[in-house]
Each structure stands twice: as structure tokens, then as C-alpha cells.
Amino acid sequence: MVVPGYFMAILQKIKTSMFLRNVSVVLVGAVIAQMITVGSMPVLTRLYSTEAFGVFGLFMTIVGLFSTISTGRYNMAVMLPKENADASLLVALSIKIALIVGLCLLFLVLFGEQIAAMLGMPVLASVIVWVPLVVVINGWFQTYSNWSSRNKDFKVIALAAIFATLVGNALRMLFGGEWSSATGLVLGSFLIFLIQLLVLFGFGKNRLVGSSKLNEEKKQRTRELVRKYSQFPKFRAPKDLLNSLSQNSPTFMLTLFFSVDKVGQFYLVDRVLRAPSVLLGNAVRKVYFQKAAEIHNNGKSLLSSVLKLTFLLAVIGFVPFLFVIIWGDQIFGFVFGEEWKTAGEYARWLAVSMFFMFINVPSVVAIPVVGLEKYFLIYEISSIALRLLALFAGGYYLENDRSAIALYALAAALLNVALIIFVATKIKSMEVRQANG
């Protein structure tokens, strides 16, 4: 059979490939960390109200947006230089940029109440002051995580994720007894980032190269690296910001048209449903990227490979997502508490969009392999526009949160289907030209 044979081939490669073993170590750490987070949710949803989760969801959305640009994306360039000395300079550069961004965000501390009032969420004022600090720590963590990956500290990365998530969620439960507001959730997230950073820094095998003091030679070399990797702040940061805006558009639109309670309901659904699909999708993406490039470079049929893996993912995801589509409201009400039944109703629609997001992974992986990045940027921009339009129609015209989520989910599903069809069509036309050439 093809499917068991495919899995056996993957297992055999994991045993013999150092790269795949490293991926597996990081994946296991991420899976356990996500299991701890999702497993703690039934307790946290009984300690914190839907409103508290709504404030926390908006807080994390704001942090996520600023975090995508907090290092100018030079943290991603840390992996690229041949010499560790150059990588160390990029680490130092990223840390400084994150600190500057954090200082610029101090206006959130000074005008927190006014900003919260403008968003129609006065309760946000109590946590918005944490945004600059969390953005800085998150930027430093992302940077040092890439430094650790460069130096193959994969076990430390995995253990840091598990330990930090365990401690952070335990403290969230403890804080829930003292602060039933979003403050306890925010402090837990801050500590998760901080603990991971400290573990990576304290237990990593390789320290940064050279003195922390910049002499004139290092300053000149840093300027050269800034120019060499300028595509990261110029292109990667804006693209990642657009993607973050697209993914978090429901949080902003639900805040604009409805109550903070609805934001909390959506945040829970998004966190619980997205976690397993993103984890498995990322694992497939890391492994299949190499395979797709190999197939393409050897002149074999990439279209056949993409379609087979898309079908395999559809088979894997069909039953779990269908289960949520049919019984989502009962599941969420039972697991997380009766006040979260609305989240279950959201889940029934969002499961549709997440299913198609899950199965489009092979198509997304194939995009850089066959050089379709320009089209993908157009797709990202169009995706944001259509998702916002769907949410606006549900919020402004229909004035119903469930309708807004339903339209958003259907728009997202259609966009993912369109992407799969478009990529398959482009690959087919390329392969036909190559065969006739």
C-alpha cells in the first residue's frame, strides 16, 4: 500500500538522517508544550472569564504584530552567515533593534488608558502597559532561539519549550486565584517567553563569539551585514506583518463590532483548533520542503507528489475536522464549560477553513521551489482584503457575530482551495513546457 509505505520511508529516513532526527527532537518538544497548553485550557477557562480571555487575546494579537517587526527580521538572518562571528553580530543587532522598538512602544504605557478607550475596551488599560516589555523579551527569545538552532542545541530548545510552558501555565492557574482578570494570563505568557530565553542562554552549548564591546572593525562589519541582509527588513518583515494581520483580523473586527466576550470566545477556538494542525503542518513543511526541491531538481513530477501529499493530509484531517463541524458546540461546552458554547459554534465554521489550510501545506511548500513568490505576495494581500470584507459584512450589515465568523471561515476556505488549484495549474504548465522543450 502507498500510504503505509510512505510512512515507513519517512520513519526510515528519520532513523538515518541527522537533519530529520533534529526536526523530530524540536517537534516532540513543541508537541509536548502544546499538549500542556491545550491541556491546561479546561482549568483556565473555569478560572478566567470569557472577557478576560478576550482582553488577553487582543493583548497577544498586539504583541504578535509588533513582534513580527521587533528585530527587523534580522533574527532570521542569524542562520545564514558561514562564520559564527558574523552570526554573533546579527544577534547583537537584533537585540538592539528589539530594545529600540520596545522603547518606541513606551507610548502605550503613557497613553494606555486613552488607547484602550479608543478601542472600546477600558479593561485593556490594565495590561497594555506590558506590551513593550513582552515585545522586547519575545524579540530576544526569537533571536536566541535561532542562534541555538544554528549551533544545533535542539534538545535545549525542546526542553526550554516544555519547561517554560509547564511553569507558565502552572503560574496562570495560581494567578487565577488572585487575578481573575487578564493580568494573570498576560504574566503567564511573559514568563513563558522569559524562561525560554533564560534556559537557552544558560544551557546552550555555544556562547556568542567575541567581546560584547563593539570596536570600529565590528561596527564596520555590522554595517556590511545590515546591507547584505537588507531583504529581511525590506521584504520579509512586511510580508510577515501582512500574514499576521490576516490571521488576526477576526480579533480586531470582533473588537470593533462586538464585545470583548466574543473576542475571548474566538481566541479559545483559534488556539485550540490551530495548535494541532499547525504543529503537524509545520512538521510536514520542514520535511517535504527538502523532498519537493529534490524532486524538482531531478526533473521528476512535482505535481504528482504535491497532489498525493495533499490527498494524504485530507484523509488524515477529514474525520477530526468533521467531528468538530458536527459536534463543536457540545464539545466546547463540555470540555471548557457552559459559557464557552459560543466558542463551539465558532469552531464548527472555523474547522472548515482550518481543514483546507491544513491540506494546502504541500502547495505552499511548492511555491518557493517553482518560483511563485510574486504570486504568493499578491495572494496574501488579496487574502487580507477578502477576509476583512467578509468580517465587515457580518459585523456591519448582518450585525451578527456568528454570521461574521461563518463568512470569514468560508472566505478563508475558498482562498485555500483557490491557492491549491492555482499552484497545481502552474506546476502542470511548467512540467508540460519542460516535457515539450
Side-chain angles (χ1 to χ4, degrees):
M1 290 181 66
V2 176
V3 172
Y6 185 85
F7 279 122
M8 288 302 296
I10 291 178
L11 290 174
Q12 186 60 35
K13 286 185 177 181
I14 290 175
K15 292 179 181 179
T16 58
S17 168
M18 178 62 73
F19 168 72
L20 293 182
R21 285 207 301 272
N22 291 335
V23 170
S24 299
V25 169
V26 176
L27 177 62
V28 168
V31 168
I32 295 174
Q34 285 292 346
M35 287 175 63
I36 293 170
T37 298
V38 175
S40 69
M41 283 295 182
V43 178
L44 294 176
T45 53
R46 288 168 170 83
L47 291 173
Y48 297 91
S49 66
T50 55
E51 289 81 5
F53 268 94
V55 173
F56 176 63
L58 185 57
F59 171 86
M60 291 305 297
T61 297
I62 295 170
V63 167
L65 288 176
F66 285 118
S67 292
T68 59
I69 58 173
S70 66
T71 63
R73 274 314 194 224
Y74 280 112
N75 65 297
M76 300 186 72
V78 169
M79 302 286 288
L80 302 180
K82 292 182 180 179
E83 302 296 331
N84 263 359
D86 284 347
S88 293
L89 291 175
L90 287 171
V91 170
L93 174 67
S94 300
I95 288 173
K96 289 176 182 176
I97 294 174
L99 184 58
I100 292 170
V101 170
L103 291 173
C104 292
L105 291 176
L106 286 177
F107 75 90
L108 293 175
V109 178
L110 299 174
F111 303 102
E113 291 186 6
Q114 293 89 330
I115 294 170
M118 183 178 66
L119 293 172
M121 297 179 66
V123 287
L124 185 62
S126 63
V127 296
I128 201 171
V129 295
W130 287 87
V131 169
L133 182 59
V134 176
V135 167
V136 171
I137 295 299
N138 190 21
W140 290 354
F141 159 65
Q142 291 177 28
T143 300
Y144 212 81
S145 178
N146 285 342
W147 171 258
S148 299
S149 293
R150 175 186 175 88
N151 292 293
K152 300 180 181 179
D153 284 335
F154 299 111
K155 290 182 180 179
V156 177
I157 292 172
L159 290 173
I162 295 169
F163 179 68
T165 306
L166 185 63
V167 173
N169 281 291
L171 290 174
R172 280 174 176 165
M173 295 177 190
L174 181 63
F175 295 152
E178 297 294 328
W179 301 304
S180 57
S181 66
T183 304
L185 295 170
V186 169
L187 284 175
S189 291
F190 166 70
L191 289 171
I192 287 173
F193 291 134
L194 179 62
I195 292 170
Q196 287 187 90
L197 173 64
L198 294 176
V199 171
L200 291 176
F201 185 80
F203 294 93
K205 290 181 291 188
N206 289 285
R207 294 289 181 266
L208 297 177
V209 176
S211 170
S212 59
K213 185 177 180 180
L214 282 178
N215 54 35
E216 194 56 41
E217 182 181 349
K218 286 184 178 180
K219 289 179 181 178
Q220 177 59 33
R221 183 55 183 161
T222 299
R223 286 192 285 269
E224 292 173 2
L225 292 170
V226 167
R227 289 192 293 270
K228 182 176 181 180
Y229 297 109
S230 62
Q231 72 269 20
F232 285 94
K234 286 180 179 177
F235 303 111
R236 188 57 187 259
K239 178 189 172 298
D240 288 349
L241 183 61
L242 283 174
N243 184 61
S244 182
L245 283 169
S246 178
Q247 295 295 330
N248 292 296
S249 55
T251 300
F252 292 117
M253 298 302 278
L254 288 171
T255 302
L256 179 63
F257 290 112
F258 304 106
S259 65
V260 65
D261 164 74
K262 306 304 180 186
V263 178
Q265 300 277 359
F266 173 80
Y267 178 79
L268 178 70
V269 176
D270 188 64
R271 190 67 183 268
V272 171
L273 286 189
R274 191 180 295 275
S277 58
V278 167
L279 275 173
L280 184 54
N282 284 343
V284 173
R285 184 179 287 107
K286 287 177 180 178
V287 176
Y288 185 62
F289 192 15
Q290 179 272 333
K291 183 66 175 178
E294 181 183 301
I295 291 171
H296 182 67
N297 292 335
N298 291 336
K300 298 180 181 178
S301 176
L302 181 60
L303 177 62
S304 174
S305 174
V306 167
L307 293 179
K308 283 180 180 178
L309 186 52
T310 301
F311 177 74
L312 176 61
L313 291 175
V315 171
I316 293 171
F318 181 76
V319 172
F321 281 109
L322 182 63
F323 195 74
V324 176
I325 291 169
I326 296 174
W327 293 294
D329 50 347
Q330 291 100 318
I331 295 170
F332 274 72
F334 175 75
V335 175
F336 302 107
E338 285 298 313
E339 65 176 327
W340 295 94
K341 272 195 171 183
T342 299
E345 294 175 17
Y346 291 174
R348 296 179 67 183
W349 286 104
L350 291 170
V352 177
S353 63
M354 289 191 181
F355 170 75
F356 288 104
M357 181 188 75
F358 177 64
I359 70 172
N360 85 348
V361 169
S363 298
V364 173
V365 169
I367 286 171
V369 175
V370 295
L372 298 176
E373 291 94 336
K374 179 178 71 174
Y375 297 102
F376 193 43
L377 179 59
I378 296 171
Y379 168 82
E380 289 283 9
I381 296 171
S382 303
S383 175
I384 292 175
L386 288 174
R387 292 182 194 206
L388 286 174
L389 183 62
L391 288 164
F392 182 81
Y396 185 79
Y397 291 106
L398 301 179
E399 298 181 351
N400 185 280
D401 57 298
R402 292 167 180 80
S403 299
I405 293 296
L407 290 172
Y408 167 82
L410 292 175
L414 290 173
L415 283 164
N416 282 311
V417 171
L419 182 65
I420 293 170
I421 294 172
F422 174 78
V423 172
T425 303
K426 281 289 184 181
I427 294 175
K428 183 178 180 180
S429 64
M430 289 178 184
E431 292 181 353
V432 168
R433 285 198 303 271
Q434 290 173 357
N436 296 333

